[in-house]
Amino acid sequence: PGTRLLASRYLLEKRLGRGAMGQVYLARDQNLLTRRVAVKTVRPDILSDEDLQEGEAIARFEREARAAASIRHPHVVDVTDFGKSAEGVFFLVMEYVEGETLYDLLRREGTVSPQRAANILRQVVAGVDAAHDVGILHRDLKPANIFLMQQRRKGNNDDGFVKVGDFGLAKIVNPDRSEVSSEAGPASRGIIGTPEYMSPEQAELNQLDVDTRSDVYSLGV
């Protein structure tokens, strides 16, 4: 309720959305008063599972947040900060992208022309390729994670600058089995991703074989 100051720095102004991981807020960085950012909170319960102690879950969150922040590409939404507040809220701070998602555009207009699709996908592929170059998979590529920074106006065929968001976030929730100690034994984990865009190997409970080709499959869909 009302505005809140997170981690003594980010003033939460309004909620932009709610998802499986937590909530997304528009916030103002109090260190740089003119800068608006998007703050994504992460529910503590989805960071933990039966095989990981709290400290390991926090370490995984920090590792994946740092990895997401390392991509640094014009067509990838920047992760600029992360942490855990005094109230125990895990959060990621990202650049605030004004515009709309590809999901919103498709809901409003239906199909798009091959030329527009190529223009959008060319930029998406550039961002995804940059992430793959540093060994980071997205794991949940879909229209809702593709941001068009300029809303389409009547008579204007320019969809604007495109950015891919939410890199690495799926892995924060549910890591590869290879990242769990061998002593942990078998575990029953949920499947990460969105079924309509998911590669067959990603739909397996044992996701050891998931690599960059899974993201390419999702791009094709």
Side-chain angles (χ1 to χ4, degrees):
T3 57
R4 292 184 298 161
L5 191 64
L6 182 69
S8 303
R9 177 171 178 178
Y10 302 104
L11 185 65
L12 307 183
E13 295 186 340
K14 70 174 180 178
R15 191 172 72 191
L16 298 174
R18 175 184 293 172
M21 286 189 63
Q23 304 189 70
V24 183
Y25 297 90
L26 174 62
R28 197 168 293 278
D29 185 341
Q30 297 298 282
N31 286 1
L32 302 162
L33 287 174
T34 58
R35 185 180 186 186
R36 293 195 299 175
V37 295
V39 174
K40 177 165 286 194
T41 60
V42 182
R43 298 194 344 248
D45 59 298
I46 64 171
L47 285 176
S48 59
D49 63 39
E50 59 195 16
D51 292 329
L52 291 177
Q53 301 298 317
E54 183 184 4
E56 293 173 310
I58 294 170
R60 184 179 74 201
F61 170 79
E62 292 180 347
R63 181 169 63 249
E64 298 307 327
R66 285 195 181 93
S70 73
I71 300 173
R72 306 292 296 173
H73 188 272
H75 292 297
V76 173
V77 175
D78 268 344
V79 174
T80 59
D81 195 10
F82 65 91
K84 180 182 180 183
S85 73
E87 298 77 32
V89 176
F90 290 88
F91 64 91
L92 291 160
V93 181
M94 294 162 283
E95 65 174 311
Y96 174 57
V97 178
E98 289 191 81
E100 67 176 350
T101 66
L102 180 58
Y103 174 81
D104 292 330
L105 183 149
L106 292 172
R107 284 194 69 187
R108 186 178 69 250
E109 300 192 17
T111 57
V112 298
S113 70
Q115 292 79 13
R116 286 178 71 192
N119 177 51
I120 292 169
L121 276 173
R122 189 178 297 113
Q123 298 179 69
V124 171
V125 167
V128 172
D129 189 48
H132 288 177
D133 279 347
V134 292
I136 298 170
L137 306 185
H138 191 289
R139 297 167 179 259
D140 195 17
L141 285 167
K142 57 186 176 182
N145 284 331
I146 295 169
F147 299 90
L148 313 176
M149 292 184 69
Q150 175 185 314
Q151 288 199 26
R152 182 174 168 81
R153 297 187 299 272
K154 190 173 182 180
N156 176 17
N157 291 322
D158 182 10
D159 286 306
F161 199 79
V162 179
K163 285 181 176 276
V164 184
D166 281 3
F167 261 98
L169 296 195
K171 200 172 180 186
I172 290 173
V173 180
N174 194 333
D176 285 345
R177 288 179 186 273
S178 58
E179 291 192 327
V180 178
S181 66
S182 58
E183 291 81 9
S188 174
R189 289 195 171 83
I191 296 172
I192 314 166
T194 303
E196 297 93 321
Y197 301 95
M198 191 184 296
S199 67
E201 65 269 24
Q202 196 173 350
E204 298 289 335
L205 280 177
N206 186 342
Q207 296 187 8
L208 284 176
D209 296 329
V210 173
D211 58 26
T212 56
R213 292 171 294 182
S214 185
D215 279 350
V216 174
Y217 179 100
S218 298
L219 285 171
V221 176

